[in-house]
Amino acid sequence: MTARLLVIMGSGETSPTMSKLHRELFARLGGPASVPAVMLDTPFGFQENADDIAAKAEDYFRKAVGRPVSLASYRSADQVGSVAHEAALVKLGEARWVFAGPGSPSHALRLWKASRVPALLADKLRDGGCITFASAAAVTLGPFALPVYEIYKVGQEPFWLEGLDLTGRVGLPAVVVPHWNNAEGGHHDTRYCYMGERRLRVLEDKLPEGIFVLGVDEHTACVLDLDEGTATVSGLGGVTIRAAGAVVRRVEAGETVATCDLAHGVGGGGGPARVSADAAQPGAGHGPAARPARSPLLASVTELEARFAQALEARDADAATACALDLVSLLDAWSSDTTESDELDRARAALRSMVVRLGQAASTGLRDPRAAVAPFVEALLDARRQARDDRRWADADSLRDRLLAAGIEVRDGPEGTEWQVVSSPQAPIV
């Protein structure tokens, strides 16, 4: 029997951090080329660059995951009834692996709920298959969904949309909040899918009794195995169960728990159990979930920048060049990521900085200038010593002055004559 899997990703769905998990999920469904797989483009279908996003994602799954994924395109209500629309639904029905990711939850729900998409997705959970929903698509999985754009970008008061409630079908009466530990806001709170603490509390107050929040960190996945009744967390962060402003449970990457235990402590008439009395206080009680996300891409860039600076300090041109080439490879590995942030731009800026600094080093040379000029300086110092021995003081002073003009300082002391480079030579010293 085909495995029945519901995979919820907080972000990073088309980044190197999730490649291994995607391969593992495909392997659980069948052989190397036996899994019909489709991507739904509805969440980002309204965007002008929708074709580019779809192409990037297809390229990622082909290269980084080693699996062909075809596009089941359903971008607007105008498509309904068309041959292309019906063909997309046929693809979705035949697929055993379904993926959807970035974009707008509101746009996706508006189209999906007026079509056969929810029923076709439910079939996968009943008969076998894998649904991998990430970022915006993950928001749609619960009985209610965050209208992220409308609240965060437009400024509407917090409210809920009706969701697909696929989480209810797997025994979790939970709304899904990806990007749980987002830190893009810097000095303002963008945790909880850009809602922040204040707005999340308002939203929680609007939820019916018994519905809780399932928060998934960035670059993290919660794999729900419906046959085994387990939830496994993979990636860089964790999964947080929260109700009425309190963290009920936290499951870290690498842990597997019974699905029914995810909601343990989220009660009925008595309300949700709290971790502690402080848990309901603003900004407190969130434990690991409150830690800001550390971008794996930018972390790697920072490491390469540090190695590059060390290489230049050590005058190691080969090591510095290797760092720049490693950054090129890193950018290539992340080129298919569909996450809409400035991280790739910042990584490209770091690469440009490395190129400029390598150019500057090439103009002056990375070789120790003392080693480069030592044979010439020692020859002139020998001539100066001979002049001093012959009491040709004017000649000795002239040689010292010419060395100084060339950036070489000469010092006479009890131990003999010493010299050092005080600036890069601008003219021949002889």
Side-chain angles (χ1 to χ4, degrees):
M1 180 178 176
T2 301
R4 298 184 299 141
L5 305 170
L6 177 60
V7 183
I8 307 171
M9 292 187 173
S11 79
E13 57 273 13
T14 53
S15 75
T17 57
M18 290 290 110
S19 300
K20 180 181 177 183
L21 177 59
H22 283 306
R23 290 192 291 268
E24 292 173 350
L25 294 171
F26 270 108
R28 293 175 68 173
L29 295 178
S34 62
V35 180
V38 300
M39 174 177 62
L40 283 166
D41 61 0
T42 315
F44 59 84
F46 67 98
Q47 297 180 205
E48 291 297 319
N49 64 338
D51 288 339
D52 292 337
I53 296 174
K56 274 188 173 185
E58 289 177 293
D59 186 64
Y60 167 80
F61 285 109
R62 184 176 63 257
K63 292 181 178 178
V65 183
R67 297 282 183 154
V69 174
S70 63
L71 189 64
S73 187
Y74 179 21
R75 298 183 181 182
S76 74
D78 295 338
Q79 291 178 252
V80 176
S82 68
V83 173
H85 175 63
E86 293 302 324
L89 293 178
V90 169
K91 276 187 177 182
L92 180 59
E94 295 175 344
R96 290 169 55 206
W97 182 93
V98 181
F99 170 81
S104 165
S106 306
H107 179 74
L109 284 170
R110 185 165 55 251
L111 297 182
W112 287 344
K113 289 184 72 65
S115 74
R116 292 193 294 119
V117 169
L120 292 171
L121 293 174
D123 288 346
K124 313 299 175 192
L125 300 181
R126 184 192 64 218
D127 301 329
C130 176
I131 297 173
T132 300
F133 272 22
S135 301
V139 172
T140 70
L141 290 172
F144 302 96
L146 277 176
V148 182
Y149 279 61
E150 290 83 345
I151 298 174
Y152 182 61
K153 294 293 187 180
V154 180
Q156 294 186 26
E157 288 301 311
F159 68 101
W160 292 103
L161 295 170
E162 183 181 353
L164 301 177
D165 199 19
L166 291 182
T167 55
R169 290 178 177 271
V170 302
L172 287 176
V175 295
V176 176
V177 180
H179 298 282
W180 184 255
N181 60 340
N182 180 271
E184 290 179 30
H187 296 298
H188 70 276
D189 190 1
T190 53
R191 294 172 301 171
Y192 321 134
C193 202
Y194 308 96
M195 293 298 101
E197 177 66 27
R198 181 188 66 81
R199 285 179 293 206
L200 181 62
R201 285 181 175 276
V202 174
L203 287 160
E204 286 175 318
D205 287 342
K206 296 177 182 292
L207 288 174
E209 185 176 354
I211 304 296
F212 61 90
V213 174
L214 176 70
V216 185
D217 284 350
E218 296 189 325
H219 295 278
T220 302
C222 180
V223 180
L224 301 171
D225 188 320
L226 278 59
D227 295 313
E228 297 294 331
T230 59
T232 301
V233 179
S234 299
L236 304 183
V239 169
T240 300
I241 301 298
R242 171 169 155 152
V247 173
V248 177
R249 181 156 191 172
R250 173 80 175 173
V251 184
E252 299 293 346
E255 294 185 60
T256 297
V257 299
T259 304
C260 59
D261 287 345
L262 278 181
H264 181 69
V266 180
R274 284 169 170 73
V275 173
S276 70
D278 293 333
Q281 299 303 315
H286 305 294
R291 290 196 304 261
R294 187 186 184 199
S295 161
L297 170 59
L298 295 184
S300 297
V301 171
T302 299
E303 179 186 351
L304 286 172
E305 287 180 310
R307 285 169 45 197
F308 181 83
Q310 292 171 357
L312 286 185
E313 182 70 21
R315 302 180 183 279
D316 189 338
D318 289 342
T321 302
C323 289
L325 293 175
D326 286 346
L327 183 48
V328 171
S329 298
L330 184 68
L331 282 166
D332 182 62
W334 282 80
S335 62
S336 297
D337 185 22
T338 55
T339 301
E340 296 181 345
S341 74
D342 66 346
E343 292 182 4
L344 279 172
D345 290 335
R346 292 163 68 180
R348 293 187 188 100
L351 178 60
R352 289 195 294 272
S353 175
M354 287 185 183
V355 172
V356 169
R357 293 169 69 185
L358 281 172
Q360 292 171 339
S363 67
T364 58
L366 281 175
R367 185 181 177 189
D368 187 346
R370 184 180 176 93
V373 303
F376 308 102
V377 173
E378 292 296 343
L380 288 174
L381 289 180
D382 284 343
R384 180 172 177 266
R385 278 191 289 270
Q386 187 62 53
R388 286 164 63 89
D389 290 345
D390 295 342
R391 297 182 178 275
R392 292 182 285 111
W393 308 115
D395 290 341
D397 290 343
S398 176
L399 287 169
R400 183 190 60 197
D401 292 343
R402 293 190 65 181
L403 284 166
L404 184 60
I408 308 297
E409 183 181 41
V410 177
R411 294 180 180 178
D412 297 313
E415 303 299 324
T417 300
E418 297 180 346
W419 63 276
Q420 65 177 357
V421 178
V422 294
S423 64
S424 298
Q426 300 299 316
I429 60 177
V430 292

